[in-house]
Amino acid sequence: MESEGALNNQRELTSICFKAFMLKNSTKSNLNLYDHFARVLTKVMDERPENVVDVIEDMSREVKRGLLMDKQSTLRDIPLAPAAQLLAEQQRLLFSRGGGDDGDQEVETPLPNVSEVGFFLEQAGVGLGREEMLRVFLALKQLVDSQPLARCRLWGKILGTEGNYLVAEGEYRDGEEEEGINEETAEDAEGEPRDDDEEAEVVEVIDTLPRSTFKPPPVVPKEDNRTGVNKFTYFVCREPGLPWMRLPTVTPTQITAARNIRKFFTGRLDTPIVSYPPFPGNEANYLRAQIARISAGTQVSPLGFYQFGEEEGEEEEEGGRDSFEENPDFEGIPVPEMAESLSTWVHHVQHILQQGRCVWVNLAEKPEDDFEEEADEEGKEEADEPEPEVGPPLLTPLSEDAEITTTPPWSSKMSSTLISQFAIAVLRSNLWPGAYAYASGKKFENIYFGWGLKFAGEVYTPTVPSMPQREYTSGPEITEALDSSLEEEQALKAALEEQKAAQDETAGLGGDEEEEDDD
């Protein structure tokens, strides 16, 4: 009897363990074998098909499919196209040929030969790669076809945290005005003082509050288009195939502020620049200011490639020459000599002064029509005239460039010392990392691939905030009087009543005397 009870207990334990095993859910379908068998047997008892043993597998499959169909939906989400696919669809338009391209071969075009530039840059060890350079080539063709440009070149590529900027430098044809000039003029007019009528209305308002005698320093006027830092127009796009965006003109205030801050670009032109000192503008203005600074410091050419015109006389020598022309007699400089000596390279872009302009302007001069202010200030001492700021002239050799913390401003080399007869001279800027130049015979080019930041030395120290202003000096003229007590108010009221009564009596006596005189 004991053996039979032990055997029954063992069988019961085994059945419990096996049932627990059958109740274990699957990691894929979240179903268990026990419930599945129960559903299959229920289906068999309900339908009672013939030859059950032959169709039991199909019935099991139908039971599983029935459970899954309830959980699945016939609606499917439209898969989102990846960013690479969207960009490829936009870049596909670059490779489409227009119907009027057959006759453009004989017409002069400002489109640069980017393939040749990419070939020389590849020898110099820099560049974007052949595939990307081809897409950039087609993107520049798209820009030239959409804008009336007389000159166009690939300026470079500025890197950003969220996106990059491809930069193209262009110059409009003579007589062709940019679309944004009128808009910029309207924006500048908003900051000008109001008319005399509006000022008269303001004067009529009685204001007893003290007025500040502080006069802000005069604003340095920006240089006109096609001159100075605004000599060229710059266009940017994030990727080849995307639309080109024209950058606004740069002001001296923006260049001065850009010298005091260091900010990475984000790749979005409308991003506000949060910095100290505050920058007057968004990322588009900051990008334009950095492009102007980089161009002024790194745009170089072989000595003798450019020359000053013979028609330019002493008038331009007083204010500094701002134009030049190509030298038709230039035969080129040997590559080994250009790789060894910086005196064979010159700057062909005007230097930016501390004022933020290429041509210094005297802010102390008064307009000729302002006679009233001159009459008011006749008794005052005239301020000393500021000394004109003069920078290095055009076509200055690179050997005269200043160093930063014992770092040489330039590094030069040959592209290959093994095959020197076919090598090119390569120049790299150490003050603006990412700026390169190459020269081979009569051909040269400048390019920039970098983050748009200048070399700041070993340690960068941000601008220290200004000291807080002192509190206004306390005095009796600004000290608030104490409130009078009730007794003082009553005494003052009684005194005023007595004074009024005395005035009334005096007025009454005077009236009686007049009546007697009339009688």
Side-chain angles (χ1 to χ4, degrees):
M1 296 296 293
E2 294 179 0
S3 60
E4 291 181 1
L7 182 61
N8 292 334
N9 293 335
Q10 184 178 2
R11 289 177 179 177
E12 184 178 358
L13 181 62
T14 303
S15 62
I16 293 174
C17 292
F18 185 66
K19 184 178 180 180
F21 173 75
M22 295 178 66
L23 288 172
K24 185 178 180 181
N25 291 342
S26 172
T27 57
K28 296 182 179 179
S29 60
N30 199 24
L31 301 176
N32 60 75
L33 184 60
Y34 185 87
D35 294 337
H36 179 66
F37 277 166
R39 295 188 185 94
V40 173
L41 294 176
T42 302
K43 185 177 179 64
V44 171
M45 288 187 294
D46 293 342
E47 299 180 1
R48 296 181 181 274
E50 297 181 358
N51 302 325
V52 180
V53 69
D54 297 331
V55 297
I56 189 65
E57 293 85 358
D58 297 335
M59 297 179 70
S60 174
R61 195 175 297 108
E62 290 178 3
V63 170
K64 288 184 177 180
R65 188 182 297 112
L67 295 175
L68 296 176
M69 288 179 62
D70 296 340
K71 297 181 180 180
Q72 291 181 349
S73 176
T74 56
L75 299 178
R76 294 290 184 272
D77 295 334
I78 300 177
L80 298 177
Q85 179 181 350
L86 298 176
L87 180 60
E89 292 177 355
Q90 293 179 336
Q91 291 182 347
R92 185 177 60 180
L93 301 176
L94 296 175
F95 296 89
S96 61
R97 185 173 182 180
D101 292 347
D102 297 337
D104 293 342
Q105 298 179 357
E106 299 179 358
V107 180
E108 294 184 1
T109 174
L111 182 66
N113 190 355
V114 180
S115 299
E116 182 182 17
V117 175
F119 169 74
F120 285 109
L121 291 177
E122 187 176 355
Q123 295 188 48
V126 296
L128 302 176
R130 296 184 180 181
E131 294 184 3
E132 187 171 0
M133 288 296 286
L134 177 59
R135 291 194 291 267
V136 172
F137 198 174
L138 298 175
L140 288 177
K141 180 179 181 299
Q142 192 179 47
L143 174 63
V144 170
D145 295 340
S146 60
Q147 297 288 339
L149 301 178
R151 175 180 173 274
C152 181
R153 61 178 287 266
L154 175 62
W155 187 88
K157 183 176 183 178
I158 291 184
L159 308 178
T161 56
E162 301 178 13
N164 305 324
Y165 292 113
L166 285 173
V167 185
E169 181 183 272
E171 185 177 4
Y172 282 90
R173 302 193 192 105
D174 294 337
E176 297 288 347
E177 298 295 336
E178 297 87 335
E179 298 178 357
I181 289 181
N182 297 331
E183 299 177 0
E184 294 173 2
T185 305
E187 293 178 359
D188 296 341
E190 293 180 358
E192 295 179 356
R194 299 180 179 179
D195 298 337
D196 296 339
D197 298 339
E198 297 181 359
E199 291 181 357
E201 295 178 359
V202 176
V203 172
E204 293 177 359
V205 178
I206 300 175
D207 188 3
T208 58
L209 298 177
R211 295 183 179 182
S212 175
T213 59
F214 171 76
K215 293 183 179 180
V219 179
V220 181
K222 72 173 185 179
E223 294 180 297
D224 297 334
N225 294 331
R226 303 176 186 268
T227 60
V229 294
N230 295 319
K231 184 176 182 179
F232 300 108
T233 306
Y234 292 91
F235 303 86
V236 296
C237 69
R238 297 190 62 174
E239 291 288 345
L242 298 182
W244 289 92
M245 304 296 293
R246 186 178 67 87
L247 295 179
T249 54
V250 65
T251 62
T253 306
Q254 294 170 352
I255 292 180
T256 304
R259 288 170 171 167
N260 299 325
I261 64 175
R262 291 177 66 87
K263 295 284 290 186
F264 282 108
F265 294 96
T266 61
R268 293 180 282 109
L269 294 176
D270 57 348
T271 303
I273 301 298
V274 181
S275 63
Y276 183 83
F279 183 84
N282 54 13
E283 185 165 302
N285 304 107
Y286 180 56
L287 176 62
R288 181 63 181 86
Q290 292 298 93
I291 290 175
R293 296 178 61 202
I294 295 172
S295 299
T298 63
Q299 299 289 320
V300 296
S301 58
L303 177 64
F305 186 87
Y306 292 114
Q307 64 178 3
F308 294 111
E310 297 179 356
E311 299 178 357
E312 299 177 357
E314 298 179 355
E315 297 180 357
E316 293 189 355
E317 292 182 359
E318 296 178 356
R321 299 182 177 182
D322 58 353
S323 62
F324 48 80
E325 60 185 16
E326 293 187 10
N327 183 11
D329 300 331
F330 179 73
E331 297 296 336
I333 302 175
V335 172
E337 183 179 352
M338 298 194 68
E340 293 178 0
S341 176
L342 295 178
S343 300
T344 57
W345 299 84
V346 296
H347 292 277
H348 61 261
V349 175
Q350 286 181 284
H351 174 75
I352 302 179
L353 306 176
Q354 292 296 325
Q355 198 178 45
R357 293 168 50 99
C358 293
V359 180
W360 185 79
V361 59
N362 187 6
L363 301 178
E365 293 182 355
K366 300 178 181 179
E368 297 179 358
D369 300 335
D370 197 357
F371 297 105
E372 296 180 359
E373 294 184 1
E374 292 182 0
D376 296 340
E377 296 180 359
E378 286 182 356
K380 299 182 180 179
E381 297 181 358
E382 297 182 357
D384 297 336
E385 290 291 333
E387 296 183 3
E389 185 181 356
V390 179
L394 277 174
L395 306 184
T396 301
L398 303 189
S399 57
E400 300 181 7
D401 290 3
E403 300 181 355
I404 294 183
T405 63
T406 67
T407 300
W410 299 93
S411 297
S412 58
K413 67 174 184 178
M414 294 177 61
S415 61
S416 175
T417 56
L418 300 177
I419 312 176
S420 58
Q421 58 269 29
F422 297 105
I424 63 175
V426 182
L427 195 64
R428 177 172 60 90
S429 175
N430 296 327
L431 303 185
W432 289 98
Y436 295 89
Y438 71 84
S440 177
K442 296 182 179 181
K443 296 180 180 180
F444 76 95
E445 188 57 74
N446 297 270
I447 203 75
Y448 179 83
F449 301 114
W451 294 93
L453 298 178
K454 188 176 182 179
F455 175 70
E458 299 179 355
V459 180
Y460 167 69
T461 303
T463 304
V464 180
S466 57
M467 296 296 294
Q469 296 182 354
R470 297 181 179 179
E471 293 290 340
Y472 194 86
T473 305
S474 299
E477 67 276 3
I478 64 172
T479 303
E480 184 178 1
L482 298 177
D483 295 338
S484 57
S485 61
L486 180 60
E487 293 76 7
E488 294 176 351
E489 291 182 357
Q490 293 177 353
L492 178 61
K493 184 177 180 180
L496 293 176
E497 291 178 354
E498 292 178 358
Q499 183 179 3
K500 184 177 180 181
Q503 292 178 355
D504 294 340
E505 291 179 359
T506 305
L509 294 175
D512 296 341
E513 293 177 356
E514 291 179 359
E515 291 179 357
E516 293 177 357
D517 295 338
D518 295 338
D519 294 340

